[in-house]
C-alpha cells in the first residue's frame, strides 16, 4: 500500500514537471542601431514593363516616356506593348496621339491638357496616353497602316486595354469655335474623354 502511494506520488510529480514551462532563454545582448543612410535601389528606366504586378520604378519611367514627346527614334510596337500592360493593370484605355514636334496643334493640345487640372487628372485616371511620331524623319507607316486613314494632326485613336481600336478621332472636331482663341473646346474635348473612358464598377 505504501509502495502504491509512493508510485502515484512519483507519477503526479512527473506529470507536473512535464507540463511546467521550460525556463526562458537568455536574451541576446542588444545590437547597436544601424544609422547609416539606406538608399533605395535604382531601377533602369530603359527596361520595359516586365509584369502585371505592382509597377517598379522602371515601369513608371517607361509609361511616362510614352507621352514625353514625339520621338522619331521610338518604336511604337514596343511602346504599345508597354501601354497594354499598364492599361490592363490599371483598368484603363489607351490613346494613341499621332503627331510630331513640327505640329503646332499637337503642342496646343499638350498645353491644353497640362493646363487643365481636371482634364489632366481624368486622363491619367482613365487612359494610358501614348505619342506616335509622324514626321519626315519617321512616318511610322507600317505601324499606322493598321489604323484608319488620318486626315490631320494631331489625331487620336482610342484602344481598349488589349489594343483593339474603339474610336478614330479627328481632333479638328474638338477645336475651339471660330472667333475663340486658337485651341480646343473644353466641353467637347472633355465629352470625348468621358465617352470613351472605361466603365467603372459601381
Amino acid at each position: 500500500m505504501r509502495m502504491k502511494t509512493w508510485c502515484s506520488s512519483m507519477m503526479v510529480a512527473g506529470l507536473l514537471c512535464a507540463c511546467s514551462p521550460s525556463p526562458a532563454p537568455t536574451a541576446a545582448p542588444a545590437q547597436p542601431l544601424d544609422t547609416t543612410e539606406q538608399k533605395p535601389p535604382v531601377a533602369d528606366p530603359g527596361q520595359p514593363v516586365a509584369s502585371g504586378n505592382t509597377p517598379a520604378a522602371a515601369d513608371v519611367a517607361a509609361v511616362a516616356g510614352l507621352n514625353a514627346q514625339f520621338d522619331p527614334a521610338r518604336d511604337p510596337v514596343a511602346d504599345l506593348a508597354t501601354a497594354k500592360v499598364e492599361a490592363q493593370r490599371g483598368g484603363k484605355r489607351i490613346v494613341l496621339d499621332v503627331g510630331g514636334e513640327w505640329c503646332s496643334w499637337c503642342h496646343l493640345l499638350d498645353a491644353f491638357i497640362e493646363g487643365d487640372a481636371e482634364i489632366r487628372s481624368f486622363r491619367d485616371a482613365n487612359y494610358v496616353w501614348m505619342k506616335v511620331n509622324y514626321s519626315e524623319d519617321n512616318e511610322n507607316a507600317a505601324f499606322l497602316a493598321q489604323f484608319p486613314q488620318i486626315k490631320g494632326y494631331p489625331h487620336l485613336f482610342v484602344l481598349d486595354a488589349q489594343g483593339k481600336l474603339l474610336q478614330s478621332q479627328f481632333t479638328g472636331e474638338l477645336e475651339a469655335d471660330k472667333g475663340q482663341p486658337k485651341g480646343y473646346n473644353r466641353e467637347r474635348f472633355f465629352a470625348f474623354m468621358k465617352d470613351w473612358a472605361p466603365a467603372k464598377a459601381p
Side-chain angles (χ1 to χ4, degrees):
M1 183 69 179
R2 187 174 296 174
M3 186 68 174
K4 191 172 183 181
T5 303
W6 181 82
C7 286
S8 296
S9 298
M10 290 303 291
M11 285 177 63
V12 170
L15 287 171
L16 287 173
C17 286
C19 294
S20 64
S22 56
T26 307
Q31 296 295 317
L33 184 65
D34 181 6
T35 57
T36 58
E37 184 182 356
Q38 301 295 314
K39 295 184 178 179
V42 179
D44 178 4
Q47 293 297 314
V49 175
S51 71
N53 298 323
T54 303
D59 299 344
V60 173
V63 171
L66 298 176
N67 188 29
Q69 63 181 355
F70 295 102
D71 183 353
R74 290 191 74 94
D75 176 4
V77 174
D79 283 351
L80 182 55
T82 299
K84 286 194 283 190
V85 170
E86 179 64 16
Q88 290 165 23
R89 174 166 49 209
K92 300 179 182 182
R93 288 190 169 158
I94 301 165
V95 170
L96 303 183
D97 179 0
V98 186
E101 292 301 309
W102 54 268
C103 167
S104 63
W105 280 94
C106 298
H107 293 295
L108 281 171
L109 179 59
D110 287 344
F112 169 73
I113 295 173
E114 291 306 315
D116 190 312
E118 186 181 11
I119 288 180
R120 187 176 65 251
S121 296
F122 188 85
R123 176 199 65 185
D124 294 343
N126 293 281
Y127 296 97
V128 178
W129 203 273
M130 173 185 150
K131 284 187 164 76
V132 179
N133 182 78
Y134 178 88
S135 67
E136 290 180 357
D137 296 326
N138 185 354
E139 294 184 353
N140 282 308
F143 177 79
L144 292 173
Q146 64 188 304
F147 300 105
Q149 188 173 3
I150 293 173
K151 294 193 289 184
Y153 300 92
H155 190 90
L156 306 177
F157 293 114
V158 182
L159 315 179
D160 68 12
Q162 284 70 43
K164 178 185 174 185
L165 178 66
L166 301 175
Q167 170 71 357
S168 176
Q169 182 63 51
F170 172 54
T171 56
E173 297 172 351
L174 306 177
E175 291 175 7
D177 297 324
K178 288 183 179 180
Q180 299 295 316
K182 186 177 178 181
Y184 292 89
N185 179 288
R186 186 182 193 276
E187 185 179 338
R188 284 196 292 269
F189 191 87
F190 210 173
F192 156 73
M193 298 276 282
K194 290 176 178 176
D195 285 347
W196 295 102
K200 299 296 182 185

